[in-house]
């Protein structure tokens, strides 16, 4: 087991279908990540605002590439293009 935290952090809500879409993609790609559940009230998501610049979730921070982004479709596209079949060696 690695000593350090996984390089990807996912900020998400409990039972959020958009967040679950990103979780499925991370799992399908076999990526290690840290899940951080955030406040359900949009105006209270200050931790997400601090790291991503805005409050929507899901949001990811990928320390490996320096990418921070939100919106599930964008995140899924990023993960697949960065870590998908054509880039398996990048991990």
């Amino acid at each position: 087991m690695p000593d350090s935290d996984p390089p990807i952090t996912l900020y998400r809500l409990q039972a959020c279908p958009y967040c679950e879409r990103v979780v499925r993609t991370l799992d399908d790609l076999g990526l290690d990540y840290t899940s951080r559940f955030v406040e359900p009230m949009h105006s209270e998501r200050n931790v997400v605002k601090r790291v991503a610049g805005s409050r929507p979730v899901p949001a990811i921070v990928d320390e490996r590439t320096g990418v921070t982004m939100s919106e599930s479709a964008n995140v899924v596209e990023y993960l697949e293009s960065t870590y998908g079949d054509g880039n398996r060696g990048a991990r």
Side-chain angles (χ1 to χ4, degrees):
M1 296 252 345
D3 310 17
S4 61
D5 292 331
I8 297 173
T9 302
L10 169 64
Y11 295 87
R12 63 194 276 209
L13 291 173
Q14 203 72 25
C16 163
Y18 302 106
C19 300
E20 292 307 313
R21 178 179 180 201
V22 173
V23 167
R24 274 193 310 278
T25 302
L26 286 160
D27 291 344
D28 288 349
L29 293 171
L31 296 170
D32 290 332
Y33 63 95
T34 300
S35 256
R36 303 224 186 236
F37 289 95
V38 299
E39 293 290 328
M41 177 92 61
H42 188 270
S43 63
E44 301 285 319
R45 294 186 205 147
N46 295 327
V47 67
V48 180
K49 171 101 170 137
R50 255 192 324 275
V51 299
S54 61
R55 291 184 170 95
V57 292
I60 65 161
V61 176
D62 187 346
E63 305 271 334
R64 197 178 283 134
T65 61
V67 167
T68 300
M69 65 174 28
S70 57
E71 304 297 334
S72 63
N74 295 340
V75 172
V76 166
E77 183 180 328
Y78 162 76
L79 291 170
E80 288 175 343
S81 67
T82 304
Y83 299 106
D85 289 335
N87 291 304
R88 289 276 178 185
R91 288 198 276 161

XYZ file of all heavy atoms in Angstrom:
711
model
N 0.839 -1.189 0.000
C 0.000 0.000 0.000
C 0.879 1.245 0.000
O 1.840 1.330 0.734
C -0.879 0.039 1.255
C -1.873 -1.064 1.371
S -3.620 -0.724 1.138
C -3.945 0.940 1.199
N 0.506 2.247 -0.790
C 1.281 3.472 -0.799
C 1.125 4.223 0.516
O 0.104 4.142 1.180
C 0.679 4.285 -1.954
C -0.450 3.498 -2.500
C -0.555 2.215 -1.749
N 2.178 4.974 0.899
C 2.156 5.741 2.141
C 1.349 7.022 2.004
O 0.857 7.547 2.978
C 3.569 6.154 2.555
C 4.537 5.001 2.557
O 4.252 3.973 1.964
O 5.600 5.170 3.175
N 1.250 7.543 0.803
C 0.614 8.848 0.618
C -0.846 8.699 0.198
O -1.291 7.636 -0.202
C 1.378 9.643 -0.435
O 1.354 8.953 -1.652
N -1.563 9.816 0.311
C -2.956 9.842 -0.125
C -3.028 9.700 -1.635
O -2.104 10.107 -2.345
C -3.601 11.168 0.275
C -3.751 11.300 1.781
O -3.891 10.265 2.457
O -3.728 12.442 2.270
N -4.136 9.162 -2.152
C -4.303 9.103 -3.608
C -4.242 10.507 -4.207
O -4.653 11.474 -3.560
C -5.694 8.498 -3.791
C -5.971 7.771 -2.519
C -5.250 8.552 -1.448
N -3.745 10.632 -5.425
C -3.586 11.962 -6.028
C -4.892 12.634 -6.433
O -4.924 13.836 -6.660
C -2.713 11.703 -7.247
C -2.924 10.264 -7.565
C -3.222 9.575 -6.264
N -5.985 11.879 -6.523
C -7.265 12.467 -6.933
C -8.173 12.586 -5.713
O -8.346 11.633 -4.963
C -7.944 11.617 -8.022
C -7.082 11.584 -9.283
C -9.346 12.154 -8.333
C -7.581 10.650 -10.361
N -8.743 13.770 -5.538
C -9.735 14.005 -4.496
C -11.042 14.369 -5.173
O -11.068 15.242 -6.045
C -9.314 15.142 -3.547
O -8.049 14.808 -2.969
C -10.337 15.343 -2.432
N -12.109 13.683 -4.786
C -13.444 13.925 -5.315
C -14.297 14.568 -4.224
O -14.426 14.016 -3.138
C -14.084 12.613 -5.763
C -15.576 12.654 -6.103
C -15.839 13.550 -7.306
C -16.097 11.246 -6.339
N -14.834 15.740 -4.518
C -15.766 16.420 -3.618
C -17.163 16.097 -4.123
O -17.461 16.314 -5.301
C -15.503 17.930 -3.623
C -14.142 18.252 -3.046
C -13.015 18.256 -3.848
C -13.992 18.495 -1.687
C -11.760 18.517 -3.320
C -12.748 18.757 -1.143
C -11.637 18.763 -1.965
O -10.400 19.012 -1.425
N -18.013 15.568 -3.220
C -19.295 15.036 -3.659
C -20.362 15.167 -2.589
O -20.063 15.458 -1.438
C -19.131 13.581 -4.063
C -18.714 12.702 -2.896
C -18.224 11.350 -3.319
N -19.308 10.417 -3.519
C -19.193 9.110 -3.351
N -18.052 8.565 -2.987
N -20.206 8.322 -3.570
N -21.581 14.897 -3.010
C -22.733 14.859 -2.112
C -23.197 13.420 -1.963
O -23.040 12.612 -2.891
C -23.896 15.673 -2.684
C -23.730 17.169 -2.751
C -24.903 17.782 -3.511
C -23.635 17.756 -1.359
N -23.804 13.125 -0.848
C -24.419 11.824 -0.610
C -25.590 11.657 -1.591
O -26.374 12.586 -1.773
C -24.932 11.833 0.839
C -25.118 10.517 1.483
C -23.826 9.809 1.834
O -22.785 10.405 2.031
N -23.913 8.524 1.885
N -25.704 10.530 -2.240
C -26.832 10.180 -3.119
C -27.044 11.144 -4.279
O -28.156 11.322 -4.758
C -28.121 10.047 -2.309
N -25.987 11.740 -4.761
C -26.060 12.656 -5.909
C -25.782 11.852 -7.181
O -24.704 11.267 -7.320
C -25.021 13.759 -5.739
S -24.644 14.687 -7.231
N -26.741 11.776 -8.121
C -26.520 10.962 -9.323
C -25.348 11.454 -10.173
O -24.653 10.647 -10.794
C -27.838 11.065 -10.082
C -28.548 12.237 -9.509
C -28.047 12.427 -8.108
N -25.094 12.748 -10.198
C -23.964 13.282 -10.966
C -22.639 12.875 -10.322
O -21.677 12.531 -11.012
C -24.063 14.801 -11.079
C -25.344 15.240 -11.732
C -26.366 15.810 -10.977
C -25.551 15.065 -13.099
C -27.559 16.193 -11.570
C -26.742 15.445 -13.698
C -27.732 16.011 -12.923
O -28.913 16.379 -13.514
N -22.619 12.896 -9.000
C -21.420 12.467 -8.279
C -21.185 10.973 -8.485
O -20.046 10.536 -8.683
C -21.558 12.790 -6.793
S -21.766 14.545 -6.447
N -22.259 10.192 -8.452
C -22.141 8.747 -8.640
C -21.619 8.410 -10.036
O -20.910 7.422 -10.215
C -23.475 8.054 -8.370
C -23.895 8.107 -6.911
C -22.828 7.588 -5.955
O -22.254 6.512 -6.207
O -22.571 8.281 -4.954
N -21.959 9.225 -11.022
C -21.431 9.017 -12.380
C -19.906 9.123 -12.372
O -19.203 8.329 -13.001
C -22.048 10.058 -13.311
C -21.554 9.966 -14.720
C -22.209 11.003 -15.597
N -21.709 10.875 -16.952
C -21.753 11.823 -17.846
N -22.307 12.983 -17.557
N -21.275 11.633 -19.046
N -19.384 10.107 -11.655
C -17.934 10.280 -11.562
C -17.314 9.121 -10.769
O -16.275 8.587 -11.155
C -17.577 11.646 -10.941
C -16.079 11.763 -10.681
C -18.052 12.777 -11.852
N -17.961 8.697 -9.687
C -17.474 7.565 -8.894
C -17.381 6.315 -9.768
O -16.375 5.595 -9.741
C -18.387 7.305 -7.669
C -18.084 5.961 -7.021
C -18.255 8.435 -6.666
N -18.416 6.057 -10.566
C -18.392 4.889 -11.465
C -17.226 4.972 -12.438
O -16.553 3.976 -12.699
C -19.706 4.769 -12.238
C -20.785 4.011 -11.500
C -21.961 3.638 -12.390
N -22.490 4.745 -13.175
C -23.351 5.654 -12.724
N -23.767 5.609 -11.475
N -23.798 6.607 -13.504
N -16.982 6.152 -12.981
C -15.872 6.319 -13.927
C -14.538 6.083 -13.239
O -13.672 5.374 -13.770
C -15.919 7.720 -14.569
O -17.171 7.883 -15.229
C -14.785 7.904 -15.558
N -14.346 6.662 -12.057
C -13.106 6.436 -11.299
C -12.909 4.950 -11.024
O -11.810 4.413 -11.214
C -13.147 7.216 -9.983
C -12.966 8.726 -10.089
C -13.498 9.421 -8.841
C -11.516 9.082 -10.339
N -13.972 4.276 -10.598
C -13.893 2.845 -10.304
C -13.625 2.027 -11.571
O -12.789 1.119 -11.556
C -15.170 2.355 -9.620
C -15.317 2.903 -8.204
O -14.327 3.402 -7.622
O -16.454 2.835 -7.677
N -14.319 2.356 -12.662
C -14.121 1.638 -13.923
C -12.685 1.763 -14.430
O -12.145 0.832 -15.023
C -15.074 2.147 -15.011
C -16.520 1.726 -14.781
O -16.775 0.865 -13.896
O -17.407 2.274 -15.474
N -12.076 2.918 -14.186
C -10.699 3.152 -14.631
C -9.674 2.622 -13.627
O -8.479 2.671 -13.887
C -10.470 4.647 -14.875
C -11.246 5.235 -16.053
C -11.122 6.753 -16.070
C -10.770 4.637 -17.371
N -10.151 2.121 -12.497
C -9.246 1.565 -11.491
C -8.391 2.612 -10.799
O -7.275 2.312 -10.372
N -8.911 3.832 -10.686
C -8.136 4.917 -10.098
C -8.374 5.006 -8.592
O -9.511 4.904 -8.128
C -8.527 6.251 -10.746
C -8.203 6.371 -12.230
C -8.849 7.613 -12.821
C -6.695 6.385 -12.446
N -7.305 5.202 -7.854
C -7.417 5.461 -6.417
C -7.788 6.918 -6.231
O -7.252 7.796 -6.920
C -6.088 5.191 -5.714
C -5.750 3.712 -5.661
O -6.688 2.895 -5.650
O -4.550 3.397 -5.633
N -8.680 7.170 -5.295
C -9.102 8.545 -5.032
C -9.597 8.665 -3.602
O -9.916 7.665 -2.953
C -10.199 8.982 -6.015
C -11.474 8.189 -5.912
C -12.543 8.635 -5.141
C -11.613 6.978 -6.578
C -13.716 7.897 -5.046
C -12.771 6.230 -6.483
C -13.819 6.693 -5.722
O -14.976 5.964 -5.611
N -9.641 9.878 -3.132
C -10.194 10.191 -1.822
C -11.536 10.854 -2.032
O -11.649 11.784 -2.834
C -9.262 11.157 -1.054
O -7.991 10.536 -0.900
C -9.835 11.501 0.306
N -12.562 10.368 -1.340
C -13.897 10.967 -1.396
C -14.059 11.923 -0.230
O -13.779 11.554 0.906
C -14.968 9.889 -1.247
O -15.557 9.599 -2.460
N -14.525 13.114 -0.516
C -14.839 14.088 0.529
C -16.294 14.502 0.349
O -16.640 15.098 -0.669
C -13.944 15.297 0.433
C -12.499 14.925 0.508
C -11.729 15.816 1.391
N -10.338 15.444 1.253
C -9.581 15.103 2.258
N -10.070 15.079 3.456
N -8.330 14.770 2.068
N -17.102 14.144 1.323
C -18.510 14.532 1.268
C -18.627 15.968 1.778
O -18.005 16.333 2.764
C -19.370 13.578 2.094
C -19.474 12.219 1.446
C -18.623 11.196 1.818
C -20.399 11.997 0.447
C -18.697 9.952 1.208
C -20.486 10.751 -0.179
C -19.637 9.733 0.206
N -19.409 16.776 1.057
C -19.521 18.200 1.369
C -20.941 18.544 1.815
O -21.855 17.739 1.715
C -19.104 19.078 0.159
C -17.653 18.817 -0.219
C -20.012 18.847 -1.028
N -21.088 19.766 2.270
C -22.381 20.272 2.738
C -23.425 20.218 1.622
O -23.144 20.634 0.504
C -22.245 21.730 3.178
C -21.389 21.917 4.401
C -22.053 21.374 5.639
O -23.295 21.403 5.737
O -21.318 20.898 6.508
N -24.642 19.758 1.930
C -25.690 19.730 0.910
C -26.116 21.131 0.458
O -26.437 21.333 -0.702
C -26.856 19.020 1.579
C -26.350 18.467 2.850
C -25.046 19.106 3.162
N -26.094 22.097 1.364
C -26.508 23.462 1.029
C -25.424 24.130 0.181
O -24.288 24.279 0.619
C -26.760 24.265 2.306
C -27.113 25.702 2.061
S -28.855 26.042 1.931
C -29.446 25.546 3.518
N -25.787 24.500 -1.043
C -24.844 25.084 -1.998
C -24.041 26.221 -1.387
O -22.817 26.291 -1.540
C -25.601 25.545 -3.250
C -24.723 25.978 -4.364
N -24.302 27.276 -4.510
C -24.178 25.281 -5.396
C -23.540 27.368 -5.582
N -23.456 26.176 -6.132
N -24.688 27.122 -0.677
C -24.009 28.296 -0.120
C -23.040 27.941 1.010
O -22.217 28.769 1.392
C -25.032 29.316 0.385
O -25.788 28.757 1.438
N -23.092 26.701 1.495
C -22.205 26.275 2.591
C -20.979 25.500 2.100
O -20.157 25.083 2.909
C -22.986 25.376 3.560
C -24.198 26.032 4.176
C -23.826 27.042 5.255
O -22.921 26.745 6.041
O -24.442 28.117 5.277
N -20.854 25.291 0.819
C -19.754 24.471 0.276
C -18.473 25.283 0.119
O -17.885 25.361 -0.957
C -20.151 23.871 -1.053
C -21.268 22.885 -0.939
C -21.533 22.204 -2.260
N -22.906 21.749 -2.264
C -23.666 21.697 -3.339
N -23.190 22.056 -4.506
N -24.902 21.284 -3.251
N -18.015 25.855 1.196
C -16.840 26.716 1.139
C -15.559 25.949 0.812
O -14.681 26.473 0.142
C -16.695 27.497 2.439
C -17.857 28.453 2.627
O -18.398 28.984 1.672
N -18.255 28.662 3.866
N -15.475 24.692 1.250
C -14.285 23.906 0.942
C -14.162 23.698 -0.567
O -13.072 23.774 -1.125
C -14.248 22.563 1.718
C -15.343 21.627 1.265
C -12.900 21.913 1.601
N -15.282 23.461 -1.234
C -15.260 23.280 -2.691
C -14.885 24.610 -3.363
O -14.078 24.636 -4.284
C -16.612 22.755 -3.214
C -16.583 22.579 -4.720
C -16.971 21.441 -2.541
N -15.444 25.685 -2.891
C -15.130 27.014 -3.443
C -13.635 27.299 -3.310
O -13.004 27.824 -4.230
C -15.956 28.079 -2.724
C -15.575 29.489 -3.058
C -16.513 30.089 -4.029
C -16.231 31.576 -4.127
N -16.257 32.054 -5.445
N -13.062 26.947 -2.156
C -11.632 27.195 -1.940
C -10.763 26.425 -2.920
O -9.801 26.957 -3.464
C -11.243 26.803 -0.513
C -11.020 27.954 0.401
C -10.356 27.584 1.719
N -10.710 26.316 2.312
C -11.776 26.110 3.091
N -12.617 27.077 3.363
N -11.987 24.920 3.605
N -11.080 25.157 -3.161
C -10.207 24.342 -4.014
C -10.531 24.450 -5.495
O -9.636 24.336 -6.327
C -10.180 22.850 -3.593
C -9.652 22.697 -2.197
C -11.511 22.189 -3.755
N -11.816 24.655 -5.830
C -12.215 24.622 -7.241
C -12.606 25.989 -7.796
O -12.811 26.122 -8.996
C -13.372 23.642 -7.429
N -12.757 26.983 -6.926
C -13.120 28.304 -7.411
C -14.615 28.543 -7.520
O -15.055 29.657 -7.747
N -15.405 27.484 -7.395
C -16.865 27.598 -7.402
C -17.430 26.452 -6.564
O -16.695 25.552 -6.174
C -17.412 27.574 -8.831
O -17.089 26.361 -9.458
N -18.720 26.466 -6.304
C -19.308 25.513 -5.356
C -19.975 24.266 -5.948
O -20.352 23.382 -5.189
C -20.318 26.250 -4.479
C -19.663 27.219 -3.527
C -20.683 27.855 -2.605
N -20.026 28.605 -1.557
C -19.780 29.904 -1.614
N -20.135 30.596 -2.663
N -19.180 30.514 -0.613
N -20.178 24.147 -7.254
C -20.868 22.948 -7.763
C -20.076 21.659 -7.507
O -18.850 21.665 -7.499
C -20.998 23.186 -9.263
C -20.775 24.635 -9.463
C -19.901 25.094 -8.337
N -20.805 20.581 -7.307
C -20.203 19.258 -7.211
C -20.885 18.355 -8.233
O -22.005 18.655 -8.643
C -20.351 18.652 -5.787
C -19.517 19.416 -4.804
C -21.787 18.561 -5.338
N -20.226 17.319 -8.678
C -18.926 16.850 -8.242
C -17.800 17.759 -8.728
O -17.907 18.391 -9.777
C -18.809 15.476 -8.883
C -19.649 15.567 -10.124
C -20.786 16.485 -9.749
N -16.746 17.773 -7.935
C -15.524 18.494 -8.304
C -14.355 17.582 -7.979
O -14.404 16.831 -7.012
C -15.417 19.802 -7.531
N -13.328 17.636 -8.814
C -12.125 16.843 -8.533
C -10.905 17.746 -8.525
O -10.867 18.786 -9.186
C -11.891 15.685 -9.536
C -11.607 16.207 -10.936
C -13.018 14.684 -9.510
C -10.922 15.185 -11.836
N -9.924 17.289 -7.777
C -8.590 17.867 -7.798
C -7.660 16.707 -8.110
O -7.657 15.710 -7.391
C -8.222 18.508 -6.444
C -6.788 19.015 -6.467
C -9.193 19.625 -6.097
N -6.924 16.817 -9.200
C -5.979 15.774 -9.602
C -4.573 16.323 -9.398
O -4.079 17.113 -10.196
C -6.208 15.377 -11.064
C -5.363 14.188 -11.485
O -4.412 13.820 -10.749
O -5.641 13.627 -12.553
N -3.952 15.918 -8.311
C -2.603 16.392 -7.975
C -1.580 15.932 -9.014
O -0.564 16.584 -9.213
C -2.191 15.855 -6.598
C -3.154 16.176 -5.497
C -2.866 17.489 -4.829
O -1.707 17.916 -4.851
O -3.810 18.083 -4.296
N -1.865 14.818 -9.665
C -0.933 14.255 -10.641
C -0.754 15.185 -11.843
O 0.333 15.319 -12.359
C -1.473 12.893 -11.095
C -0.484 12.016 -11.774
C -1.103 10.679 -12.149
N -1.218 9.803 -10.987
C -2.306 9.100 -10.672
N -3.373 9.155 -11.414
N -2.322 8.334 -9.613
N -1.854 15.821 -12.260
C -1.797 16.662 -13.459
C -1.990 18.139 -13.156
O -1.850 18.970 -14.052
C -2.884 16.235 -14.462
O -4.169 16.413 -13.845
C -2.701 14.797 -14.913
N -2.378 18.470 -11.915
C -2.627 19.860 -11.560
C -3.994 20.361 -11.992
O -4.265 21.552 -11.951
N -4.880 19.460 -12.387
C -6.203 19.844 -12.878
C -7.204 19.885 -11.725
O -7.248 18.988 -10.893
C -6.682 18.852 -13.965
C -8.157 19.026 -14.278
C -5.845 19.013 -15.215
N -8.012 20.942 -11.710
C -9.149 21.070 -10.802
C -10.347 21.417 -11.663
O -10.257 22.329 -12.489
C -8.906 22.183 -9.766
O -7.747 21.850 -9.012
C -10.091 22.339 -8.837
N -11.444 20.680 -11.508
C -12.629 20.958 -12.321
C -13.888 20.431 -11.665
O -13.830 19.607 -10.758
C -12.475 20.369 -13.725
C -12.408 18.880 -13.770
S -12.409 18.131 -15.429
C -11.707 19.332 -16.458
N -15.014 20.936 -12.148
C -16.308 20.452 -11.674
C -17.199 20.174 -12.881
O -16.746 20.287 -14.017
C -16.954 21.476 -10.733
O -17.086 22.714 -11.369
N -18.450 19.810 -12.603
C -19.437 19.401 -13.614
C -19.128 17.975 -14.068
O -18.081 17.697 -14.642
C -19.481 20.342 -14.818
C -19.750 21.785 -14.474
C -21.116 22.031 -13.835
O -22.061 21.254 -14.065
O -21.220 23.011 -13.095
N -20.063 17.078 -13.816
C -19.827 15.647 -14.029
C -19.416 15.291 -15.457
O -18.501 14.495 -15.651
C -21.046 14.826 -13.613
O -22.171 15.137 -14.410
N -20.052 15.874 -16.452
C -19.704 15.535 -17.844
C -18.256 15.916 -18.143
O -17.525 15.152 -18.780
C -20.655 16.220 -18.815
N -17.836 17.087 -17.677
C -16.448 17.523 -17.885
C -15.469 16.617 -17.154
O -14.417 16.261 -17.695
C -16.258 18.963 -17.403
C -17.044 19.960 -18.208
O -17.460 19.704 -19.323
N -17.274 21.120 -17.616
N -15.810 16.253 -15.931
C -14.923 15.408 -15.131
C -14.785 14.032 -15.769
O -13.672 13.515 -15.909
C -15.423 15.308 -13.673
C -14.615 14.275 -12.899
C -15.368 16.667 -12.987
N -15.904 13.437 -16.173
C -15.861 12.116 -16.805
C -15.031 12.166 -18.087
O -14.178 11.298 -18.321
C -17.289 11.588 -17.078
C -17.273 10.396 -18.020
C -17.973 11.230 -15.765
N -15.241 13.174 -18.904
C -14.461 13.311 -20.145
C -12.976 13.450 -19.839
O -12.133 12.819 -20.482
C -14.956 14.520 -20.933
C -14.248 14.703 -22.260
C -14.762 15.906 -23.026
O -15.944 16.248 -22.912
O -13.944 16.512 -23.748
N -12.641 14.261 -18.851
C -11.239 14.443 -18.456
C -10.631 13.114 -17.995
O -9.543 12.739 -18.419
C -11.131 15.493 -17.347
C -9.827 15.421 -16.609
C -8.660 15.927 -17.185
C -9.739 14.814 -15.357
C -7.452 15.825 -16.523
C -8.535 14.718 -14.692
C -7.388 15.217 -15.282
O -6.186 15.114 -14.628
N -11.325 12.413 -17.108
C -10.797 11.152 -16.575
C -10.590 10.126 -17.676
O -9.552 9.454 -17.730
C -11.737 10.599 -15.501
C -11.798 11.392 -14.198
C -12.948 10.882 -13.328
C -10.477 11.341 -13.451
N -11.582 10.005 -18.572
C -11.458 9.027 -19.665
C -10.341 9.390 -20.621
O -9.593 8.525 -21.061
C -12.791 8.891 -20.388
C -13.822 8.155 -19.541
C -15.193 8.093 -20.169
O -15.489 8.872 -21.110
O -16.001 7.263 -19.700
N -10.194 10.673 -20.939
C -9.143 11.056 -21.890
C -7.756 11.005 -21.246
O -6.771 10.716 -21.922
C -9.416 12.438 -22.478
O -9.299 13.439 -21.495
N -7.684 11.235 -19.941
C -6.383 11.237 -19.262
C -5.957 9.844 -18.824
O -4.786 9.484 -18.925
C -6.431 12.174 -18.032
O -6.830 13.466 -18.469
C -5.070 12.272 -17.348
N -6.904 9.036 -18.344
C -6.572 7.746 -17.750
C -7.228 6.557 -18.451
O -7.098 5.429 -17.991
C -6.978 7.733 -16.274
C -6.257 8.773 -15.469
C -6.915 9.929 -15.046
C -4.913 8.631 -15.141
C -6.251 10.891 -14.304
C -4.241 9.594 -14.407
C -4.923 10.728 -13.988
O -4.260 11.684 -13.261
N -7.934 6.807 -19.550
C -8.623 5.736 -20.266
C -7.669 4.808 -20.983
O -6.447 4.916 -20.848
N -8.213 3.909 -21.794
C -7.439 2.859 -22.449
C -6.180 3.334 -23.148
O -5.139 2.700 -23.046
C -8.312 2.117 -23.469
C -9.348 1.251 -22.778
O -9.117 0.855 -21.628
O -10.386 0.991 -23.404
N -6.256 4.447 -23.831
C -5.086 4.938 -24.557
C -4.008 5.494 -23.653
O -2.881 5.703 -24.092
N -4.325 5.727 -22.392
C -3.352 6.352 -21.488
C -3.095 5.534 -20.231
O -2.671 6.066 -19.229
C -3.870 7.742 -21.070
C -3.859 8.687 -22.230
O -2.821 8.883 -22.843
N -4.996 9.254 -22.546
N -3.333 4.246 -20.271
C -3.156 3.408 -19.075
C -1.723 3.503 -18.522
O -1.520 3.409 -17.343
C -3.464 1.937 -19.382
C -4.913 1.694 -19.612
C -5.609 1.505 -18.320
N -7.024 1.328 -18.598
C -7.924 1.229 -17.692
N -7.603 1.300 -16.435
N -9.174 1.066 -18.010
N -0.748 3.709 -19.369
C 0.634 3.801 -18.916
C 0.919 5.071 -18.156
O 1.940 5.184 -17.494
N 0.018 6.042 -18.199
C 0.252 7.321 -17.531
C 0.111 7.228 -16.018
O 0.502 8.118 -15.313
C -0.745 8.374 -18.072
N -0.487 6.150 -15.534
C -0.686 6.024 -14.083
C 0.555 5.649 -13.431
O 1.380 5.287 -13.120
C -1.743 4.983 -13.768
C -3.088 5.472 -14.130
C -4.126 4.668 -13.459
N -4.370 3.469 -14.250
C -4.941 2.392 -13.780
N -5.281 2.306 -12.555
N -5.182 1.368 -14.544
